Amino acid sequence: MNTTITVNTDLPAGKISRHIYGHFAEHLGRCIYEGIWVGEDSPIPNTRGIRNDVLEALRNLSIPVLRWPGGCFADEYHWKDGVGPREQRKRMVNTHWGGVVENNHFGTHEFFDLCELLGTEPYICGNVGSGSIQEMQEWVEYMTFDGESPMANWRKANGREKPWKLKYFGVGNENWGCGGNMRAEYYADEYRRYQTYVRNYGDNRLYKIAGGANTDDYHWTETLMQQAGPLMDGLSLHYYTVPGGFELKRPALGFDEAEWFETMQQALRMDELIARHSTVMDKYDPNKRVGLIVDEWGTWFRVEPGTNPGFLYQQNSLRDALVAGLHFHVFQRHCDRVHMANIAQTVNVLQAMILTEGVNMLLTPTYHVFEMFKVHQDAEALALHLETGEYRVGDETIPQVSVSASKRADGTIDISLCNVDPKGEAPVALRLRGLKDIPQVSGRVLAHADMSAHNTFEQPETVVPQPFDGVTDISLEGLSVTLAPMSITVLTLRF
Ligand code: AHR
């Protein structure tokens, strides 16, 4: 069946928060250390310890928000160990991730420096699992209080006179698991208590995010909304695409079509999860004041052979790129509730944008999707209708094409399209309702003939966006497009 898409160019369907394109960087494996932080004395060119090549690549993504320091690490992190003269900072064991020494050289000041260099908003995740309320209260005071106080004075003594601006603050992480193994009822009470002391100092206004559910734990969402809904601005959700499941994780490369299919199918499950968690939230928050914050998502494969199993280092292929595209379409479809999403993780961990090896760096296919899709950030979603055929493997099917469309402030329209079928092209009739002028159409495509095509340090440009020449029959009514098998295409319509 050919695909028919009707985009209502005059029917706005809600603003796409740019924070949907957020990131997550944890003290895990080589994400922070090596991937971002190399230290001022490193032979790798750096700005105050942060590697320049990674900075430049990330700047090009216009990252709107960066979550730190974890993850599971957050609930073992004691922020006071990470401020003051670096050589005097406490060395601790990163028990959860590989049992390696954490020298605390990347701490609060370095994180805010990174955010300032990237022009990104910080999102700090506080420690509920093993930290005290006082510790959390003092961290907020240290970061945001402008005046005389023990923590503000300490910050100044450590070289930062003015407080930082901080909006996003997470009160714990995965408190049903590594963040304390709590029951929903218990965490709801803990959340109420901890968040009381997460204060707004001066004109700094915090957006408080409660630790949310794992995958389809709707009881968790129900309990949190019922017991603590009015005390939160956001509630998180974590869901990973893990073909084979966590016990039998599959390799990131060298997979067959069945694994390709399972991966796409799992990625698309995000739609159902968001819809159902949102429905629970609607019961307590019909006006959608509380944002759903999908602050961990992405693929989780077996680690690369020979690497530390606790470092979660995996390669990244065209398959990951499709997973990213499908997720963005889901998030954008639910932009009335999804305020933020953060891919796990930015560098060298899980579904990374960037891989590094010593002085070398490469951009993954996932990076290119973030770059191609950034046109959607803060744009107005457009209402659309999609009729597409099935992509079938065995008895199972998923829709072949997925799409999202948005309008920028200047009227430019961007339409992103994913074809998940690794063998079949997708001819698409794209109807454009409500146009007044015939558009100038340009496009870019990310595709490859090999399902597991990926970039390596030797061949870093195997999967990169190319100009798209599959558009024909442009008129006031619409246009025709032929999508390549397993491809991601972004069309831009200018007037
Ligand atoms: O992203 C890796 C880990 O996955 C995070 O630390 C944790 O929150 C989740 O289980």
Side-chain angles (χ1 to χ4, degrees), residues 160-315:
R160 174 77 186 198
E161 183 62 28
K162 283 280 155 205
W164 293 284
K165 276 275 166 240
L166 174 67
K167 181 172 176 184
Y168 296 106
F169 192 88
V171 182
N173 167 74
E174 295 196 352
N175 302 92
W176 38 263
C178 64
N181 282 308
M182 301 176 198
R183 291 172 301 108
E185 294 74 11
Y186 182 82
Y187 173 69
D189 279 345
E190 287 292 88
Y191 174 80
R192 292 170 65 101
R193 195 159 154 248
Y194 272 73
Q195 69 78 36
T196 306
Y197 304 94
V198 173
R199 299 197 191 283
N200 290 319
Y201 290 109
D203 63 0
N204 192 72
R205 287 287 164 273
L206 291 165
Y207 181 104
K208 298 178 193 174
I209 300 170
N214 180 24
T215 310
D216 55 0
D217 185 352
Y218 302 110
H219 171 72
W220 186 279
T221 297
E222 176 101 36
T223 307
L224 264 291
M225 289 303 293
Q226 190 183 59
Q227 308 287 320
L231 298 174
M232 66 177 77
D233 301 295
L235 178 61
S236 73
L237 168 67
H238 289 183
Y239 171 62
Y240 284 94
T241 295
V242 197
F246 277 102
E247 298 306 313
L248 294 170
K249 288 193 284 292
R250 306 260 197 257
L253 303 176
F255 47 85
D256 59 16
E257 192 178 347
E259 283 172 51
W260 168 279
F261 181 87
E262 186 189 352
T263 309
M264 299 303 139
Q265 199 176 37
Q266 284 199 16
L268 286 168
R269 188 171 176 218
M270 184 59 98
D271 191 45
E272 177 204 319
L273 294 173
I274 292 178
R276 293 185 63 182
H277 282 288
S278 295
T279 303
V280 176
M281 292 172 80
D282 286 348
K283 201 166 135 190
Y284 302 94
D285 178 35
N287 296 325
K288 301 187 193 292
R289 183 192 62 80
V290 179
L292 186 59
I293 308 293
V294 190
D295 53 18
E296 289 187 29
W297 68 270
T299 56
W300 195 318
F301 299 120
R302 208 178 283 168
V303 298
E304 289 305 307
T307 65
N308 186 330
F311 280 16
L312 310 186
Y313 177 73
Q314 64 190 41
Q315 247 295 359

Side-chain angles (χ1 to χ4, degrees), residues 382-447:
L382 294 175
L384 57 80
H385 180 71
L386 164 71
E387 281 172 45
T388 185
E390 291 171 341
Y391 163 46
R392 171 180 294 274
V393 171
D395 293 338
E396 311 243 20
T397 63
I398 54 174
Q400 183 186 6
V401 171
S402 137
V403 60
S404 192
S406 70
K407 193 186 268 191
R408 302 184 209 172
D410 70 359
T412 302
I413 293 174
D414 298 288
I415 303 174
S416 45
L417 301 131
C418 298
N419 175 12
V420 296
D421 188 335
K423 293 188 294 251
E425 286 186 336
V428 179
L430 188 54
R431 296 187 186 136
L432 299 165
R433 245 213 66 262
L435 282 191
K436 294 198 177 69
D437 299 301
I438 298 177
Q440 306 272 336
V441 184
S442 60
R444 287 196 298 160
V445 59
L446 195 69

